[in-house]
Amino acid sequence: MKDESSQCILNNFQLENLRRHVYKSTGKTVLDPYMQVFWCWLVERVPLCIAPNMITLVGLLVNIGTTLVLVYYSSDGHSTAPPGAFIACGLGLFIYQSLDAIDGKHARRTGTNNPLGELFDHGCDAFSTVFVIIAYGIATDLGPSYWFFYLCCVCNFMFYAAHWQTLVSGSLHFG
C-alpha cells in the first residue's frame, strides 16, 4: 500500500506557499467609491450561513443563464433579439459582478476566506468571461467572424495576463 505523501499532487514547498497565501488587490476605477458603498450594503444582507462559494456560483449561474437567453434569440449572432433579452443579460451581468464583488467580503466577514475559495472565485470568473464575450458579440452584431475570434483571444489573454501579473507581483491590479 502506498503512503499518503506519494499521492499528494502538491509538494511540501507548494503546500506551505498555499498556507501562507494572502489575497491582495489594488486599483481604483471611477465608479469604485460608489460601488464599494453598494457592495458593503449588499454583503450585510447576506445571511452568515451562506457559503461564500455559493455566492460565487449563483453569480456565475445567473450570468450564464441570462446569456443563454440572449443566445436563444440570436443563436447565429446576427438575429435581432427582443429588448427584454438584452435587458435581462445586462441585469444578469450586473448581478454577477455584484455577487463577485461581495463573495470575498462575505468570506472575510465569516472567517472562511482561504486560497482555495479564491481559486474557485477566479476559476468562475474565467469561465464567466466566455459568456460575457458571447453576449457582447451578440449585442454588437459581430456574429461568427474573425473580429469575434479576435475579441475572444484578447479578452482571455487579458484575464490570463492579469493573473500572471498577480503571480509575479503578489497583487491583482484593477482599473
Side-chain angles (χ1 to χ4, degrees), residues 53-71 85-100 124 127-128 131-132 135:
N53 287 347
M54 182 56 71
I55 295 171
T56 304
L57 187 60
V58 167
L60 173 65
L61 294 175
V62 167
N63 190 30
I64 290 171
T66 55
T67 299
L68 290 178
V69 168
L70 194 57
V71 168
F86 288 106
I87 292 169
C89 196
L91 184 61
L93 181 58
F94 178 77
I95 291 169
Y96 159 73
Q97 289 180 328
S98 294
L99 294 178
D100 186 44
C124 288
F127 194 63
S128 185
F131 290 91
V132 172

Side-chain angles (χ1 to χ4, degrees), residues 34-115:
Y34 307 104
M35 294 308 295
Q36 286 296 337
V37 171
F38 171 68
W39 293 328
C40 288
W41 173 84
L42 186 61
V43 76
E44 292 295 326
R45 298 325 173 254
V46 178
L48 293 173
C49 62
I50 302 292
N53 287 347
M54 182 56 71
I55 295 171
T56 304
L57 187 60
V58 167
L60 173 65
L61 294 175
V62 167
N63 190 30
I64 290 171
T66 55
T67 299
L68 290 178
V69 168
L70 194 57
V71 168
Y72 173 79
Y73 286 106
S74 182
S75 58
D76 63 356
H78 291 297
S79 302
T80 303
F86 288 106
I87 292 169
C89 196
L91 184 61
L93 181 58
F94 178 77
I95 291 169
Y96 159 73
Q97 289 180 328
S98 294
L99 294 178
D100 186 44
I102 69 167
D103 57 3
K105 292 178 187 312
H106 184 65
R108 288 184 291 280
R109 184 173 151 228
T110 59
T112 56
N113 55 320
N114 60 56

Side-chain angles (χ1 to χ4, degrees), residues 3-21:
D3 66 273
E4 289 183 31
S5 63
S6 67
Q7 295 176 358
C8 187
I9 294 172
L10 300 177
N11 64 36
N12 288 334
F13 176 74
Q14 293 166 325
L15 287 171
E16 185 57 35
N17 280 342
L18 188 59
R19 279 187 209 97
R20 288 185 288 142
H21 174 76

